[in-house]
Amino acid sequence: MVSFLNLHDINQQYQSELKIACNKVIDSGWYINGNECSNFEDNFAKYCGVSHCVGVANGLDALAMILEGYKILGHLKLGDEVIVPANTYIASILAITKAGLTPILCEPSLDDYLIDYNHIESHISEKTKAIMAVHLYGQTCDMDSINILARKYNLLIIEDSAQAHGAKFDTKKSGNLGDASGFSFYPGKNLGALGDAGAITTNNGELADVIRSLGNYGSTMKYQHIYKGTNSRLDEIQAAMLNVKLKYLDYEIENRRKIAKLYINNINNINIILPKCRNMNNHVWHLFVIRVADRKKFVTYMDSNDIETLIHYPTPPHKQAAYQELNELSFPVSELLHNEVVSIPISGVQTIKDTNYIIEVLNDFS
């Protein structure tokens, strides 16, 4: 079986360093808000090209805490609207509603499956205060166009960079393309921890300070709480794991690009729609997502050939039971994508032999 993502093999590459890092934390006797977290925050901020990084418990918290931070600073208030792509993972929407804000769904482009900037302006109202740019599958949104709209209407740009560690738009990396960015280090991400973890990047020191306090029960000094905060901190062991793996992130990305190039150059089946890439050197290929009209038949076919596939994502947010108030809305492009997308295997440890086998099987699909 060709697995979709072999986390064991990915982490096995660095096992000696990971074990040393873990033992160092255990031996230190310091497990929260210590040197490992501080070092990772510094390292990841430098990697993204920003002034500040705040480690948090997971990617959902990262997005929600950015929005809460802007509420405290007076840039957002309850009921304000945030424009967000309709085909994103539900975490993007959850962060908005968790912060007491209103998600305004916008169709993606059929070219790259990212938010279609041609449709954004028609959704802007007096209540619109932010655009959430979701860099889906490892490719950044068209930030030039989004920035033009943000400046025109005085809107915040929040990046959802959960799938875009190391991705670039022109020369800048994800995490440094808007006002603030939320990252997930879920184990399956290009930069994955060995458990849940997340971070926020920004060049706004005031926002970073507020977010750091929010994640520590709203406190900057022990037992003194200035905000109604939460408990969302990047623990020392996960930070230590991330410090090890960050050194190899660009290497992992290059391996993914090699596989993506092989797919794009060699899959020639008219029944399969390949993803479009603006710039191969900027895309980090967290997922390689194709489209097929008869997805059920395709998945069964791949299973019969011992190739594991996944669907990102089978049901759009506006059709989920959790958002019944959105169920009657219609987003034809998003619904088409959610009915046709299939993710095929890609990772930093996938072999050329397995990749060529996948290509062969894909080209024989009918």
PDB file of all heavy atoms in Angstrom, residues 173 175 352:
ATOM      1  N   LYS A 173       7.438  35.489   2.532  1.00  0.00           N
ATOM      2  CA  LYS A 173       6.859  34.214   2.937  1.00  0.00           C
ATOM      3  C   LYS A 173       5.500  34.402   3.591  1.00  0.00           C
ATOM      4  O   LYS A 173       5.207  35.451   4.180  1.00  0.00           O
ATOM      5  CB  LYS A 173       7.783  33.488   3.915  1.00  0.00           C
ATOM      6  CG  LYS A 173       8.991  32.843   3.254  1.00  0.00           C
ATOM      7  CD  LYS A 173       9.852  32.143   4.275  1.00  0.00           C
ATOM      8  CE  LYS A 173      11.065  31.508   3.594  1.00  0.00           C
ATOM      9  NZ  LYS A 173      12.049  31.024   4.573  1.00  0.00           N
ATOM     10  N   GLY A 175       2.908  34.305   6.385  1.00  0.00           N
ATOM     11  CA  GLY A 175       3.185  34.733   7.745  1.00  0.00           C
ATOM     12  C   GLY A 175       3.661  36.163   7.796  1.00  0.00           C
ATOM     13  O   GLY A 175       3.671  36.786   8.860  1.00  0.00           O
ATOM     14  N   ILE A 352      10.586   8.046  -5.453  1.00  0.00           N
ATOM     15  CA  ILE A 352      10.337   8.215  -6.886  1.00  0.00           C
ATOM     16  C   ILE A 352       9.636   6.973  -7.438  1.00  0.00           C
ATOM     17  O   ILE A 352       8.748   7.068  -8.295  1.00  0.00           O
ATOM     18  CB  ILE A 352      11.652   8.474  -7.646  1.00  0.00           C
ATOM     19  CG1 ILE A 352      12.307   9.767  -7.136  1.00  0.00           C
ATOM     20  CG2 ILE A 352      11.392   8.566  -9.145  1.00  0.00           C
ATOM     21  CD1 ILE A 352      11.444  11.003  -7.276  1.00  0.00           C
TER      22      ILE A 352
END
